[in-house]
Amino acid sequence: RKNTKRVPSFRKLLRTSKIKLDNKLKNKQYKQQSAAKKYRKEQKKLRQAVRDAICRKPFPLEEYKKKTVADKQENDDEEDALPLDMMDEDDLKLMQDLAQKASFITRDLSSNEPVHIKKRKNESVIDKYEKMPRRMQTEPEKELIHLLPIKDKGGIIPQTMEKPVLNVTEEEEEDTEEMEVAEDANEEPLPVLTPEEMAAQRKRKLQERKTHIAALAAAILSDPENHIKKLKELRTMLMEQDPYVAVIVRKLVMVSLMEIFKDIVPSYKIRPLTEAEKATKVKKETQKLREFEEGLVSQYKFYLENLEQTIKDWKQRKLKKSNVISLKAYKGLAEIAVKCLCELLVALPHFNFHNNIIVLIVPLMNDTSKKISELCFEAVKQLFKQDKLGIASLGVVKVISGLVKGRNYNVRPEVLKVFLHLRIKEVELKKDSEDIAPKKKFMTYKEKRKNLSRMQRKWKKAEEKLERELLEAEASESKEKKLKLHTETLNIVFLTYFRILKKTQNSPLLPAVLEGLAKFAHLINVEFFDDLLIVLHSLIASGGITYRETLHCILSAFHILSGQGDVLNIDPMKFYTHLYKTLFSLHAGGTNDDIGIVLQCLDVMLTKRRKQVSQQRALAFVKRLSTLGLHVLPNSSIGILATNRVLMHTFPKMDLLLDNESQGSGVYLPELEEPEHCNAQNTALWELHLLQRHYHPIVQKFAAHLIVGAPAEGSGALPPDLSRRPATELFETYSMKGKTFNPPVASVTPRRKDTFSQRDSFLNEELNELLQKHNSETAMHKPLDFAKHLKESSLL
């Protein structure tokens, strides 16, 4: 087969060979430099070893002394004492000869000659070579470069060349070492500063750093696109190494970068460019914008990584070798880092890496540090409140659900209480999302042909096209998408709640779960109602929960029945009984704040379900609530009396309790736990007369209003500011959390004190007149002294 490979031209070969020669030359030079550097290091180590050996004081070897006659006699005596009869005569003679020749003691260890050289005459050459001591190589081996051989008549003659080495003499090395020693000797210790000088120096350095940070921040904010590179310069100050100002400077840089990002970040999410978009040519303005966005995203990412690393260092409590920050300062830096992350979580929910911030913040809600956990709680609450669409809320709820499950439900109750701030009131799960927000349907072709003329069809087509364009151009998100997100969020919330109810019923998370069910129970699917009511009733009947958790269970059950549960045939009489029993567990102490939950339960159980409530049940609750009003604080009494007023208006036969005459047979049984059978119609609201003498003016007004039958008009009617407000609002308005009277009581000056002050002033005037009349030295001297004594006395 013919070789079709093209032969390169001479010029190309020449150009190629030149490039190869240049590369070879560069490689040779690099190898020469590295070899010379290595040689210098070895020489330096060798000289150092020689110096160390010289500096050490040598210890002479033990010298052999010829034995004297006396020593010989002593040794002979010792040998006679030994049991020599056990040795042969030949062995004994050999031992004596060896003792006289102590060459193994007097031998020079530095000599190269073997000890028994005469006995090793027949030793091989290789063994002799191996026995010889080695010397350290003080000179580098010369490298040879093999050149092209020369062909002669006699044969091929190989050609070699020594590799050139940079000539660095020992004298230069010694000079450099002497200079280094001289420099070390000339170095003086740093001057010891007084505390005042150290404080002044620190203040000066701190002012310089602050000025530099302010200048960089001002430049970035003035023109972000042209000064985006200064973000990196400012971010590098997070690694401040001066121990005097490192902590404060890092905190200042963290906060400054956070504020800068909040100002310069655009109102949209920046996506990475594809390869096709990078390859296409664009205008200068577009290219400049792309570079700005790319730099902004990268610096924002590095900034978040720095904040995350700061928090990790504080968590691990590990001091880095290269770090100038003490372990005590780690917590302060971590708190500032968490605060910056919380600010970015709330301020930039639309920007890149928002999910990464959520993953960092949510686990810190369960942190042991109270300050850090409260910062995270407030940030998540604020995010829920301002999130109208629900994308950010869905991300947070997913992470919280995973955290609770991953920690085996061993988290703080506040983590679940955050769910109460979700904005999902408008969700209706009993319908499909398509039924809730159906898409706009246009007429089909057959309908147009059947119902419209040709001209009408033409106009209809134009209208439909315009409406489609308007829907596409609408900036706000559709209601369908919003409800879909809220539905998914609620599913995750209820999944977390049901897991806790099923697996950990005795957990401290149960109050938070019941409180959440009480708020969102009307949004649960109808198919779960029966099972959920059974679980709530079993919790109450078990007796293993507190009265507050019992109230939450009751409130959750009636929220379920007041919403979609209207269609269910369920009798909640047992929940009425539970609430009726629980009312007397409340008092003016720590349980006073739980009256607000009771007022919500009464509104849902009695007012909103008035058609399902019997008269006997309503009378029993009004009587027990009036009795409870005597045992609680004024704000709770006001809320209870306001509830009784609403019940009197809702159930028209409540005036039976204002009459002393009994209705029907039986005696009122106040301790009976069944409201239907306590005969409340045979009692009266005598508690209102006691409440009418209450020290709180609003309680007096409500009690007087109820005594006359709670009229809407007339002399006994309430003012509009009290009659139009619900009971829960009145309970919060007149709260006494500040340990003060609400409304404040006016101070009254006692009259007796005024009488004493008038008497004192009168006596002082009389005594002054007496002293003026008898100013001279007379026989009345003693009475004058007595008058002076009375005036100066503290009794007047």
Side-chain angles (χ1 to χ4, degrees), residues 50 168 173 281 295 364 376 403 435 499 511 524 559 583 643 728:
V50 172
V168 180
E173 286 288 332
K281 292 183 178 181
L364 293 175
C376 298
L403 176 69
D435 297 333
R499 280 175 179 167
I524 305 175
H559 271 303
L583 285 179
T643 303
T728 52

Side-chain angles (χ1 to χ4, degrees), residues 54-113:
I54 293 172
C55 292
R56 292 172 186 169
K57 184 177 180 181
F59 293 96
L61 295 173
E62 185 179 357
E63 294 182 357
Y64 174 74
K65 297 180 180 179
K66 292 183 179 181
K67 293 184 179 181
T68 59
V69 177
D71 294 337
K72 284 183 180 180
Q73 290 177 357
E74 289 179 2
N75 289 337
D76 292 341
D77 295 339
E78 292 178 0
E79 287 174 1
D80 293 340
L82 292 175
L84 299 178
D85 53 345
M86 298 178 63
M87 298 181 64
D88 296 336
E89 294 181 359
D90 297 336
D91 294 337
L92 183 60
K93 186 177 182 180
L94 180 61
M95 290 288 290
Q96 290 175 355
D97 294 339
L98 287 174
Q100 293 177 0
K101 298 179 181 179
S103 59
F104 62 95
I105 296 177
T106 58
R107 175 192 166 201
D108 187 4
L109 294 178
S110 61
S111 109
N112 297 331
E113 183 178 310

Side-chain angles (χ1 to χ4, degrees), residues 428-436 525 564:
E428 297 180 7
L429 296 180
K430 63 183 178 181
K431 299 180 182 180
D432 295 330
S433 59
E434 295 181 359
D435 297 333
I436 295 171
N525 288 328
Q564 303 174 64

Side-chain angles (χ1 to χ4, degrees), residues 560-576:
I560 292 171
L561 296 174
S562 64
Q564 303 174 64
D566 291 339
V567 298
L568 300 177
N569 188 15
I570 298 174
D571 184 17
M573 182 59 194
K574 48 194 173 185
F575 292 105
Y576 283 98

